[in-house]
Amino acid sequence: MTGRKIHTVDPKTGDKTVLVEVEDQPNGMCFAADGALIYSSMFDTKLYRYKDGAKGRVSLDDTGARVLHGQDPGPGRLLRIDPDGAVSSVEEGIIFPNALCISPDGKTLYNAETFGYGLHKFDLGDDGSLSNKQKVWAAASIAGGATGKFVDIDGGCMDAEGGIWLSLLALEQFARLDLKTGTITHRVKVEGHATACTLGGDDGKTLYMLTNWVPEGEDLFTAMVALKTRCTVSAARVDIAHGDAQP
């Protein structure tokens, strides 16, 4: 984000190449069904498509506050962007929404509430509408009941069996949650804030993990703005492939 670039990384060599520069600061991104890259630009509040492709519906989280610039977390919302570019708010009052995932059958949307310390699910209609909101898990449940500024979920992704990998920021781990039982089945511990993850590779069984290291004693957001953080992309092999979940 603060580097204002989107990179591609060769997983075999670690070499990175600038794909596109985003002056207004890139944030979330995903690949459309046709392989086109969709990415958000924070400060001009727009979505962009890298290279043309077929149009489809996009779900987007609006965090509701510029926490990188000193604002306290506040109520955000979930947006639906239709193929014609029309934007609709489909859910309000979420404290810093994050980690949007759609189940393999396309019928359920999951959303982390980063500063609400929980994971929610919604029934997802064919028209992109949301209903029947339920809280299905809380990050504090594996933190000894602790709550705090960063005992929360940042990014996430789903696998073919409907399990969801969660980036547990200050707990410094990526954990797979079995949504059927509510239990953690796998963990990958890291050094630094567990920020984002996605499943990929030739067989969909490589978990790519982004970890953000912050200098000791410094505030995360202040350090990010000052370009003092260091991000690392690492990978781990997992048992269950990506499948048809989104992203």
Side-chain angles (χ1 to χ4, degrees):
M1 297 189 299
T2 55
R4 302 178 189 272
K5 297 179 179 68
I6 295 174
H7 299 270
T8 59
V9 180
D10 185 328
K12 295 180 180 178
T13 65
D15 293 338
K16 65 180 182 180
T17 303
V18 175
L19 179 69
V20 60
E21 296 191 19
V22 186
E23 183 59 32
D24 287 303
Q25 198 160 304
N27 197 338
M29 56 185 177
C30 66
F31 289 98
D34 63 354
L37 176 67
I38 308 295
Y39 64 91
S40 64
S41 178
M42 292 179 68
F43 300 135
D44 61 353
T45 60
K46 292 180 180 179
L47 280 184
Y48 291 88
R49 178 186 295 271
Y50 181 76
K51 296 188 176 180
D52 292 334
K55 292 184 178 181
R57 184 179 295 120
V58 176
S59 296
L60 180 71
D61 45 33
D62 174 6
T63 60
R66 293 190 175 188
V67 295
L68 282 177
H69 298 81
Q71 291 186 1
D72 291 331
R77 57 186 178 164
L78 299 181
L79 302 174
R80 183 189 73 215
I81 296 91
D82 291 321
D84 63 359
V87 179
S88 303
S89 177
V90 291
E91 184 68 24
E92 303 277 347
I94 302 173
I95 308 301
F96 208 97
N98 220 331
L100 288 174
C101 299
I102 297 175
S103 61
D105 63 7
K107 296 181 178 180
T108 306
L109 181 142
Y110 292 88
N111 165 237
E113 189 174 20
T114 295
F115 290 98
Y117 311 110
L119 179 71
H120 299 276
K121 75 173 183 177
F122 301 85
D123 292 340
L124 178 61
D126 292 339
D127 61 353
S129 61
L130 300 180
S131 61
N132 193 26
K133 178 182 178 181
Q134 299 177 51
K135 189 168 186 176
V136 295
W137 193 75
S141 65
I142 63 169
T147 59
K149 188 174 182 182
F150 296 123
V151 180
D152 47 24
I153 304 164
D154 199 330
C157 62
M158 295 194 76
D159 61 32
E161 294 185 6
I164 184 168
W165 281 94
L166 300 171
S167 308
L168 302 178
L169 202 65
L171 299 181
E172 300 191 343
Q173 59 183 277
F174 296 87
R176 182 185 181 271
L177 174 67
D178 184 331
L179 291 163
K180 297 177 182 178
T181 63
T183 59
I184 298 296
T185 60
H186 301 76
R187 301 175 193 253
V188 181
K189 295 185 178 180
V190 294
E191 293 184 5
H193 286 118
T195 304
C197 59
T198 192
L199 287 163
D202 293 338
D203 60 359
K205 291 185 177 181
T206 299
L207 180 69
Y208 292 101
M209 301 165 286
L210 190 145
T211 303
N212 194 23
W213 177 85
V214 180
E216 186 174 354
E218 295 206 22
D219 176 76
L220 169 62
F221 298 133
T222 301
M224 287 178 66
V225 172
L227 303 182
K228 292 183 178 180
T229 60
R230 183 178 71 242
C231 290
T232 302
V233 178
S234 53
R237 294 290 293 167
V238 298
D239 299 325
I240 302 169
H242 174 260
D244 294 326
Q246 300 179 53

